[in-house]
Amino acid sequence: MRKTARLILSLLMILIILSVSVFGYGNTIYMYWDKPHAKMYSTEYTLSSMPVRYGKVTYIPVDDALKVCGFSLGWDSAVNAVTALKGNTFSYIIVNSNVLWKGEYKYTSPDSTMFFGDVFYMPMDMFEVLTDDKIIVSDFGALAKKGVR
């Protein structure tokens, strides 16, 4: 009886994990540490900036990456934020803040947006919340070996 209960519990856990990984995101976007490119579906995009790692946090370049995802970008000087519009959803990515407004939804990241040089970056978790897409960042060569390229 205990083995059956464990088996059922294990199967339920696997189903939950698979449903989150399959239904949790819209697209998977591949970005590379060593090449200024992004790939979504079978289309590869050239970016002007690559993702960066600061401490334990991965940061995604806002301008290039959001345009690849179909966002129109602007600036709101009253709130010191990049504005992002996709469909009917208007969002605010506030400079040097850990708060993202996606329509009426307020998301608070553990990490803040920031500039590296003259490029504006947002933490990867914030990017994924805004876009509903999953980001995978790796060395270009490592992904190519897995057949992703």
Side-chain angles (χ1 to χ4, degrees):
M1 183 68 175
R2 287 187 110 176
K3 286 184 180 182
T4 304
R6 282 187 192 170
L7 179 62
I8 291 172
L9 183 60
S10 296
L11 289 173
L12 285 173
M13 292 301 291
I14 289 170
L15 283 173
I16 290 169
I17 291 169
L18 287 176
S19 66
V20 169
S21 66
V22 171
F23 300 111
Y25 297 100
N27 300 307
T28 299
I29 302 169
Y30 298 93
M31 299 183 85
Y32 312 105
W33 297 118
D34 55 345
K35 185 178 180 183
H37 284 238
K39 184 174 182 175
M40 186 165 46
Y41 300 116
S42 59
T43 305
E44 193 163 318
Y45 301 90
T46 301
L47 307 176
S48 60
S49 303
M50 294 181 283
V52 297
R53 188 116 172 124
Y54 186 73
K56 295 182 179 182
V57 182
T58 299
Y59 287 88
I60 305 299
V62 170
D63 186 59
D64 285 344
L66 287 180
K67 286 179 181 174
V68 164
C69 294
F71 284 82
S72 298
L73 302 178
W75 175 254
D76 188 329
S77 58
V79 291
N80 199 30
V82 170
T83 58
L85 176 65
K86 185 170 183 180
N88 294 327
T89 304
F90 196 80
S91 303
Y92 289 94
I93 308 157
I94 303 168
V95 174
N96 296 324
S97 172
N98 65 336
V99 173
L100 164 75
W101 284 96
K102 181 180 179 180
E104 298 295 317
Y105 173 68
K106 178 182 177 183
Y107 174 72
T108 303
S109 172
D111 305 290
S112 296
T113 60
M114 61 179 63
F115 279 91
F116 289 103
D118 61 348
V119 179
F120 184 51
Y121 285 85
M122 66 193 306
M124 188 163 69
D125 66 301
M126 190 182 284
F127 185 89
E128 290 179 341
V129 166
L130 177 60
T131 62
D132 294 322
D133 295 327
K134 176 71 177 159
I135 303 291
I136 296 175
V137 182
S138 182
D139 290 336
F140 184 73
L143 286 177
K145 290 176 190 171
K146 293 180 182 177
V148 172
R149 194 172 127 197

